[in-house]
Amino acid sequence: MKKIRNFCIIAHIDHGKSTLADRLLEFTNTVSKREMQAQLLDNMDLERERGITIKSHAIQMTYPYKGEEYTFNLIDTPGHVDFSYEVSRSIAACEGALLLVDASQGTEAQTISNLYLAINHDLVIIPVLNKIDLPGAMPEEIKDEMVDLLGCNREDIIPASGKEGIGIEAILNAIVERIPAPVGDPAAPLQALIFDSVFNSYRGIEVIFRVKNGSVRKGDRVKFMATGKEYIADEIGTLGLQQIPKQVVECGDVGYLISGIKVAKEVKVGDTFTHIDRPASEGIVGFSEVKPMVFAGIYPVDTSEFEELREAMEKLQLNDAALVWEPETSAALGFGFRCGFLGMLHMEIVQERLEREFDMTVITTVPSVQFRVINTKDQLLNISAPSEMPEPNHIKWIEEPYINAQIITKSDYIGPILNLCMDKRGILKNQVYLTSERVELQFLIPLAEVVFDFFDKLKTISRGYASLDYELAGYQESEMVKLDVMLNGEPVDALSAIVHRTKSYEWGKKLCEKLRELIPRQMFEIAIQAAIGQKIIARETVKAMRKDVLAKCYGGDISRKRKLLEKQKKGKKRMRQVGNVEIPQEAFMAVLKIN
């Protein structure tokens, strides 16, 4: 155990975590020159295309130091705020963390929030100043920022460049010297924390775990404590670039377990497994439950594919523990699932993965957040979809979730950012100058306003400099209304939304205009209306396609023409009563593009 070091790499998005991991793997000869490629640990196509890490990845390497061989378990983590749950799980399996800061951008919101996550778990932090080879690097100023933030000595900060391979040896030596070896009792009953799992279509579910106490051997009978299920460890081992089967995984080490588990529900990330013969008295306290921020419905395009979609969601949930879902039905779209996501990027990634990895074509409804309604009987109702909203005369008041948003930006952009947040009904709580150039703004903003395009707008007005981090701040009473969209008098539940009363008129008007462009013309006229309760607040009309019935009448009496037009009008009216409107997929996403 004294020779094991478990650590993760944490940083803001795009500060060079995956590139540094590549260099560490090269330097320790974990991968050969031939196997090497950029972002080696990001094994999903999506991660490579977008250049972001979505999943945290564990890998083991060995490093000789002063004549002794050390085993390193490295976990590369994502940097985006939507995947912070991955980071919190990785931190639970480590004793130390490399905190990377980009020498040209300095500390940003995610750097700080990930740092606090690590400090709360008592991890040893090794500060690394990355990308020092860039022409725009400001190593001295940013070292000052890091000293303020961490309270460390300037000498503790390791200057490095993942791209050029500068400072890699210093980092590896610091890992051996500064990060403590894992603590645990090898003789105690087995306790192993599951911090990740992967679905393999040939071998069932692979469980990735960290042994806290005891050790696990091949062929042992183990029991999962949360689900109470029992299995035999068919294969165990450690995680190199490929899996390396072993006879035993010792105390303090990270490994994988395969025992032909077929049902996705039987594996819970954060669970503990132990031996059946000599069970541990209690599980390890894992990480906090995930709190979804954004809710949206996911429906199969073809209703008969509902069961396949359910299987796909179960398999995806293994690999992405932050995804929360339950079945629901919609009058417009049939059977589907109500899903909870950590943010808009997370939702987009889940949709893409369903389409790529499982070949499912899905319709995603408008994202919303969870509201609380106190009805006239003084009951508290949680509303996560507009269709669940009671009638206005049954509502006493509505509460909506607020978040504490922390925005770090250059001082030049304070004005536009304040305007944006005020426009989103935000309240400025605090303003702190970190340096003369950088300022931290703290806002209380309704989550519903942040869900759609707040992050994109923030990046646009600050030219990519501002960084955002947020946490839930609880619920507050607010004047929300349900905005219904009706086509020919029929409400379409998948298009309705819950909006603030002050914005409802503008929202309804824009939505009707957008739908008019997207809904194809039919043989009859289509009325698109936005309504709050019984009151229509906006209307647009999609004109009917008409045949020119007057073409054969040249000259002649007007009454003859009128008769033909009346006849056509009657036909159109009858058609409108029996005709139904086909809504294209783009129309459901129209709400996202309103602004």
Side-chain angles (χ1 to χ4, degrees), residues 304-433:
S304 60
E305 290 177 353
F306 175 71
E307 279 305 320
E308 288 161 46
L309 181 61
R310 180 197 289 273
E311 277 175 35
M313 298 284 278
E314 282 181 358
K315 287 170 188 170
L316 191 60
Q317 194 174 20
L318 279 175
N319 202 284
D320 180 356
L323 176 65
V324 180
W325 54 272
E326 55 187 36
E328 75 160 0
T329 55
S330 142
L333 300 170
F335 291 101
F337 297 98
R338 182 102 202 131
C339 305
F341 307 96
L342 294 183
M344 289 294 282
L345 178 70
H346 185 207
M347 173 176 139
E348 209 177 302
I349 296 290
V350 165
Q351 195 180 344
E352 285 247 330
R353 286 184 69 184
L354 281 172
E355 290 180 3
R356 287 188 186 196
E357 294 171 29
F358 303 101
D359 238 6
M360 298 294 309
T361 9
V362 293
I363 293 177
T364 318
T365 64
V366 184
S368 67
V369 298
Q370 195 166 39
F371 296 95
R372 285 184 183 167
V373 171
I374 312 294
N375 65 12
T376 44
K377 295 177 183 169
D378 285 331
Q379 294 163 319
L380 177 85
L381 309 172
N382 285 326
I383 307 291
S384 55
S387 54
E388 298 169 6
M389 192 86 148
E391 290 299 313
N393 52 344
H394 291 299
I395 297 175
K396 263 195 180 175
W397 74 82
I398 299 177
E399 295 177 350
E400 67 172 330
Y402 273 72
I403 54 167
N404 285 322
Q406 174 192 34
I407 297 171
I408 296 179
T409 176
K410 277 191 155 180
S411 43
D412 314 357
Y413 305 116
I414 292 181
I417 288 175
L418 283 172
N419 283 343
L420 172 70
C421 294
M422 298 301 179
D423 183 44
K424 299 281 187 191
R425 317 201 319 266
I427 302 159
L428 181 64
K429 286 286 192 194
N430 199 355
Q431 183 174 342
V432 184
Y433 276 87

Side-chain angles (χ1 to χ4, degrees), residues 58 107 195 216 251 256 265 269 335 409 443 562 577 585-586:
T107 51
F195 67 91
V216 58
C251 183
Y256 71 92
K265 283 198 178 69
V269 170
F335 291 101
T409 176
F443 285 96
R562 197 165 286 143
Q577 285 164 355
Q585 154 77 20
E586 295 82 62

Side-chain angles (χ1 to χ4, degrees), residues 4-10 16-28 30-31 36 40-42 55-62 70-77 90-91 93-100 168 171-172 175 179 195-196 208 210 238-241 252-255:
I4 296 176
R5 297 289 183 271
N6 300 321
F7 66 99
C8 58
I9 307 183
I10 54 177
K17 295 176 290 298
S18 300
T19 314
L20 183 74
D22 289 351
R23 292 299 85 76
L24 295 174
L25 294 172
E26 265 185 352
F27 195 88
T28 55
T30 307
V31 286
M36 194 61 212
L40 183 73
L41 294 177
D42 293 351
K55 282 283 303 155
S56 45
H57 298 272
I59 191 165
Q60 193 173 78
M61 36 195 185
T62 51
Y70 285 84
T71 301
F72 287 176
N73 288 307
L74 149 73
I75 304 177
D76 177 26
T77 65
S90 310
I91 284 174
C94 296
E95 280 81 35
L98 297 181
L99 180 77
L100 294 201
I168 300 302
I171 292 174
L172 289 164
I175 291 168
I179 294 178
F195 67 91
D196 206 352
I208 297 168
R210 150 85 201 266
T238 51
L239 299 148
L241 189 56
D253 213 346
V254 170

Side-chain angles (χ1 to χ4, degrees), residues 5-231:
R5 297 289 183 271
N6 300 321
F7 66 99
C8 58
I9 307 183
I10 54 177
H12 186 80
I13 188 166
D14 231 4
H15 280 206
K17 295 176 290 298
S18 300
T19 314
L20 183 74
D22 289 351
R23 292 299 85 76
L24 295 174
L25 294 172
E26 265 185 352
F27 195 88
T28 55
N29 295 323
T30 307
V31 286
S32 62
K33 281 270 186 285
R34 202 185 62 187
E35 292 172 306
M36 194 61 212
Q37 52 174 333
Q39 288 175 274
L40 183 73
L41 294 177
D42 293 351
N43 50 16
M44 236 187 278
D45 303 343
L46 263 176
E47 293 181 308
R48 294 183 169 280
E49 280 168 30
R50 292 174 177 243
I52 56 175
T53 305
I54 294 169
K55 282 283 303 155
S56 45
H57 298 272
I59 191 165
Q60 193 173 78
M61 36 195 185
T62 51
Y63 178 63
Y65 179 73
K66 293 187 177 168
E68 294 189 335
E69 185 125 309
Y70 285 84
T71 301
F72 287 176
N73 288 307
L74 149 73
I75 304 177
D76 177 26
T77 65
H80 198 284
V81 63
D82 281 13
F83 303 113
S84 55
Y85 189 59
E86 290 283 328
V87 183
S88 73
R89 294 185 354 232
S90 310
I91 284 174
C94 296
E95 280 81 35
L98 297 181
L99 180 77
L100 294 201
V101 177
D102 184 326
S104 61
Q105 298 190 42
T107 51
E108 299 196 52
Q110 235 35 55
T111 319
I112 297 171
S113 84
N114 287 342
L115 171 69
Y116 288 149
L117 269 178
I119 290 173
N120 290 343
H121 278 78
D122 297 334
L123 263 62
V124 173
I125 310 289
I126 299 179
V128 177
L129 186 64
N130 198 17
K131 305 194 187 184
I132 54 165
D133 57 316
L134 286 183
M138 305 177 292
E140 296 313 310
E141 294 93 317
I142 288 169
K143 273 188 181 173
D144 293 341
E145 277 185 30
M146 291 169 79
V147 170
D148 286 349
L149 178 68
L150 287 160
C152 61
N153 301 323
R154 277 182 87 91
E155 304 75 64
D156 294 346
I157 300 170
I158 304 171
S161 161
K163 195 171 170 192
E164 297 298 325
I166 303 165
I168 300 302
E169 193 168 354
I171 292 174
L172 289 164
N173 293 344
I175 291 168
V176 176
E177 289 160 11
R178 300 190 207 171
I179 294 178
V183 286
D185 181 358
L190 169 70
Q191 273 184 315
L193 174 74
I194 300 172
F195 67 91
D196 206 352
S197 55
V198 185
F199 182 78
N200 179 331
S201 45
Y202 301 106
R203 315 197 55 184
I205 291 156
E206 300 168 2
V207 174
I208 297 168
F209 62 88
R210 150 85 201 266
V211 184
K212 291 273 191 194
N213 290 315
S215 61
V216 58
R217 290 186 168 278
K218 186 177 173 176
D220 280 354
R221 292 172 63 225
V222 294
K223 173 182 173 187
F224 286 32
M225 295 178 92
T227 54
K229 298 282 182 189
E230 301 180 357
Y231 303 103

Side-chain angles (χ1 to χ4, degrees), residues 571-589:
K572 293 281 177 209
K573 198 171 175 186
R574 189 159 63 245
M575 253 177 138
R576 181 174 161 176
Q577 285 164 355
V578 296
N580 60 350
V581 186
E582 287 287 313
I583 307 173
Q585 154 77 20
E586 295 82 62
F588 291 112
M589 299 317 283

